[in-house]
């Protein structure tokens, strides 16, 4: 996702590319102002304008103009100008790749803006602090910055910056492995960009959403959304982003084995990228072409493309991609029975994957190496590589489970916070209404109005206020119920995910048990997992949440269908929540065929005909 960060930073200071002739005219015009004015603040501001104009073509002059502005502000301090000076210094250091210096100057710019009470300007600059934090992997700090900014942008009704903050929140969520949150935040940004009719940023939002679907292997949806993003990039005349989107579309098409369509898109992406001298995308095209030919089993052609990709990735120093390319070159050699040669590429892939901390590629490289060694009859070495593969696989699985659990917790905490805010707003409104009644009572009593008028007034006004209070209290109850429903869904999904994880761990333990001579440890692990899978405490927690949301549901089912067993009552409760069969199977710890049989038995007990819907019958209870 880091290629998106560069795009966001280009937006950072609202600098547009300027044709050389126009640029010279602007520079000459500003230099004349500097020569003719005696006002220091005007001179300093003009030097900052010159630094903006030269930022992309003459960084030496940029630095000179920044230093001249700095010297003036030291002699004649102007806090507003100093805030802009720090921001411009940050932009300059970012262009040099000196990220830490850029961040320090951005923080100084934020601090100066807050001193003069310019909260909005401080938030706009702080937005870029968040971008840099995200770029450097400081995800928690980046997320806090965006959360703080979102409140400011909402307060000042700054839709453009608000949408961009949501989009960065989506990027941060993706980097954290939180695809659901990433999707929600990205759609929040897209909604605002659509209202603003900003073609480029609509395209960027769609592009990010497409990549999220690609990350979750929903390739058909990814292709659909990425194609839509291209239509907006074309409106905005952004060839670079069009080339990127075509490349990512082809990746999903290769995964779906639509090789012909993928090849057409890759050829178009390559043509655009070469014209733009867009090296990273050219490398990515060659990498995808290699993967495409690997899928077609044209192994020598695959090696030729992958070698081109590898040379480019080495040139621009992207070890993550180097590791992936080396892995696929090794696979190609192994498929052509050049097994000994493939081992060299697998070892090189392992080395680069370790350096890049790319566990997915590392796991695959150890697995391919174990297969290659097995072909050569080197069984002991093959088993060693296979064990390494399993260790990394279990680590990845553990990390994914941890991320999924953390994501559910984050969603839960966010919704809880939103519900608390909504509840506080309702309570404040109730207090305000009560305060109005109290104030009116005092005024009427003090004015000496007649008793009949007082009674009439209070009667009529009291009815109105009671209706308002009842409405507010109903809203409060509705908000609490809505929150409990979300809480219940979160609990159910967490339970399903936990059981699915434990079941997978049990299967892996069984596989390892079959391979090892001593299996006592594995049997203990399997027994422990079985105990946790059958632990009724998890269900009791869920049942408590369920009963709070669906009052008397279980007793109503028991009255209507007295033959229903406790296990069937659990199934009915989960159907009431509209969960999928797979989620229900995970929660109840039974197989999909087992779910099918359970549904059939339940249908008979509920006297449902073939045309009746079990779900509709349950929802009507």
């Amino acid at each position: 996702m880091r290629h998106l960060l560069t795009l966001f930073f280009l937006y950072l200071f609202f600098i547009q590319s300027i044709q050389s002739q126009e640029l010279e005219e602007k520079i000459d015009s500003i230099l004349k102002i500097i020569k003719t004015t005696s006002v220091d603040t005007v001179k300093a501001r003009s030097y900052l304008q010159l630094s903006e104009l030269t930022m992309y073509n003459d960084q030496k002059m940029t630095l000179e103009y920044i230093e001249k502005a700095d010297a003036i502000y030291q002699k004649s301090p102007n806090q507003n100008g100093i805030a802009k000076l720090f921001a411009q210094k940050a932009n300059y250091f970012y262009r040099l790749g000196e990220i830490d210096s850029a961040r320090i100057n951005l923080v100084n710019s934020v601090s100066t803006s807050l001193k003069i009470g310019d909260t909005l300007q401080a938030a706009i600059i702080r937005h870029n602090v968040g971008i840099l934090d995200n770029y450097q992997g400081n995800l928690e700090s980046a997320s806090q910055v965006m959360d703080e900014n979102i409140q400011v942008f909402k307060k000042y009704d700054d839709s453009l910056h608000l949408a961009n903050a949501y989009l960065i929140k989506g990027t941060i969520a993706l980097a954290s492995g939180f695809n659901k949150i990433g999707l929600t935040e990205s759609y929040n940004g897209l909604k605002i960009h659509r209202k603003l009719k900003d073609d480029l940023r609509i395209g960027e939002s769609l592009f990010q959403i497409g990549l999220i679907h690609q990350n979750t292997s929903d390739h058909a949806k990814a292709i659909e959304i990425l194609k839509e993003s291209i239509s907006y990039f074309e409106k905005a005349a952004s060839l670079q982003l069009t080339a990127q989107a075509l490349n990512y579309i082809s990746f999903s098409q290769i995964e779906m084995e639509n090789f012909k369509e993928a090849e057409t898109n890759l050829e178009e992406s390559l043509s655009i990228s070469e014209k733009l001298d867009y090296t990273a995308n050219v490398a990515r095209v060659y990498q995808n072409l290699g993967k495409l030919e690997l899928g077609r089993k044209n192994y020598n052609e695959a090696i030729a493309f992958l070698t081109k990709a590898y040379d480019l990735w080495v040139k621009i120093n992207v070890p993550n991609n180097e590791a992936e390319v080396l892995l696929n070159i090794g696979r190609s050699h192994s498929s052509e029975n050049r097994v000994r040669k493939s081992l060299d590429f697998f070892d090189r892939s392992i080395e680069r994957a370790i350096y890049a901390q790319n566990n997915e590629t590392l796991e695959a490289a150890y697995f391919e190496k174990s297969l290659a060694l097995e072909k050569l009859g080197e069984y002991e070495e093959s088993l060693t590589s296979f064990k390494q593969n399993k260790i990394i696989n279990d680590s990845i699985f553990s990390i994914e489970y941890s991320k999924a659990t953390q994501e559910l917790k984050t969603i839960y905490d966010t919704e809880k916070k939103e519900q608390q805010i909504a509840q506080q707003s309702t309570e404040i409104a109730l207090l305000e209404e009560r305060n109005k009644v109290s104030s009116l009572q005092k005024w009427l009593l003090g004015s000496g109005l007649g008793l009949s008028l007082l009674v009439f007034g209070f009667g009529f006004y009291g009815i109105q206020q009671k209706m308002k209070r009842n409405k507010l209290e109903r809203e409060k109850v509705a908000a609490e119920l809505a929150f409990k429903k979300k809480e219940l869904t979160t609990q159910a999904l967490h339970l399903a995910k936990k059981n699915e994880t434990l079941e997978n761990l049990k299967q892996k333990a069984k596989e390892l048990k079959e391979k090892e001579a001593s299996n006592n440890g594995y049997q203990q692990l399997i027994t422990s997992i079985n105990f946790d899978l059958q632990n009724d405490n998890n269900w009791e927690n869920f049942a408590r949440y369920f009963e709070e949301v669906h009052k008397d549901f279980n007793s109503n089912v028991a009255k209507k269908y007295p033959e229903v067993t406790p296990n069937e009552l659990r199934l009915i409760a989960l159907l009431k929540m509209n969960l999928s069969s797979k989620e229900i199977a995970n929660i109840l710890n039974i197989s999909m065929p087992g779910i099918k049989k359970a549904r059939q038995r339940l249908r008979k007990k509920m006297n449902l005909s073939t045309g009746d819907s079990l779900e509709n019958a349950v929802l009507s209870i």
Side-chain angles (χ1 to χ4, degrees), residues 190-326:
L190 175 62
K191 192 186 298 182
I192 299 170
H193 284 142
R194 285 198 190 279
K195 285 183 181 178
L196 295 173
K197 297 181 180 179
D198 187 331
D199 290 336
L200 180 61
R201 292 187 176 87
I202 292 171
E204 288 174 359
S205 302
L206 288 166
F207 183 73
Q208 181 159 297
I209 291 166
L211 293 191
I212 296 171
H213 285 292
Q214 196 170 83
N215 286 347
T216 56
S217 298
D218 188 354
H219 293 292
K221 189 69 175 175
I223 291 168
E224 175 192 334
I225 292 174
L226 288 169
K227 282 183 176 178
E228 187 181 356
S229 78
I230 287 177
S231 68
Y232 285 97
F233 292 148
E234 287 174 346
K235 286 180 186 177
S238 178
L239 289 173
Q240 181 170 320
L241 289 172
T242 299
Q244 269 190 357
L246 286 167
N247 212 340
Y248 281 97
I249 287 171
S250 70
F251 177 87
S252 283
Q253 288 169 333
I254 292 166
E255 290 294 309
M256 297 176 72
E257 298 187 356
N258 296 334
F259 298 133
K260 188 63 183 172
E261 291 177 29
E263 186 175 30
T264 301
N265 285 323
L266 286 170
E267 286 172 354
E268 186 179 351
S269 180
L270 181 62
S271 174
I272 297 170
S273 300
E274 286 178 337
K275 286 176 185 175
L276 296 173
D277 198 23
Y278 185 12
T279 307
N281 209 54
V282 171
R284 199 174 291 112
V285 168
Y286 283 136
Q287 185 172 342
N288 281 332
L289 284 169
K291 190 173 180 181
L292 185 151
E293 295 301 341
L294 190 58
R296 286 173 167 170
K297 300 183 179 180
N298 298 330
Y299 301 116
N300 290 326
E301 289 88 341
I303 290 168
F305 283 125
L306 292 166
T307 302
K308 286 182 178 181
Y310 177 75
D311 291 341
L312 289 172
W313 288 130
V314 169
K315 181 180 176 182
I316 57 180
N317 189 26
V318 187
N320 207 23
N321 291 49
E322 291 171 37
E324 291 177 25
V325 170
L326 288 166

Side-chain angles (χ1 to χ4, degrees), residues 571 574 580-586 588 590-601:
L571 174 59
L574 296 172
S580 69
S581 293
K582 183 181 177 184
E583 288 164 340
I584 294 173
N586 286 333
L588 298 180
I590 56 179
S591 65
M592 290 295 287
I595 284 288
K596 189 175 181 181
K597 288 178 183 176
R599 287 170 63 97
Q600 288 170 348
R601 286 195 299 270

Side-chain angles (χ1 to χ4, degrees), residues 394 397-398 400-402 405 493-510 522 524-536 538 585-587 589:
D394 289 346
F397 195 81
S398 175
E400 286 179 351
Y401 173 66
S402 176
T405 304
L493 293 175
H494 176 74
L495 191 56
K497 186 68 181 177
K498 188 213 73 164
N499 284 353
E500 183 182 11
T501 301
L502 288 172
E503 189 60 40
N504 287 334
L505 283 172
K506 187 170 79 172
Q507 293 305 318
K508 288 182 182 181
K510 284 181 178 178
Y522 293 114
Q524 288 174 8
L525 176 61
I526 292 168
T527 303
S528 175
I529 291 170
N530 280 334
F531 177 79
D532 201 10
L533 281 168
Q534 294 161 11
N535 186 354
D536 276 345
N538 294 316
N586 286 333
I587 292 172
N589 191 30

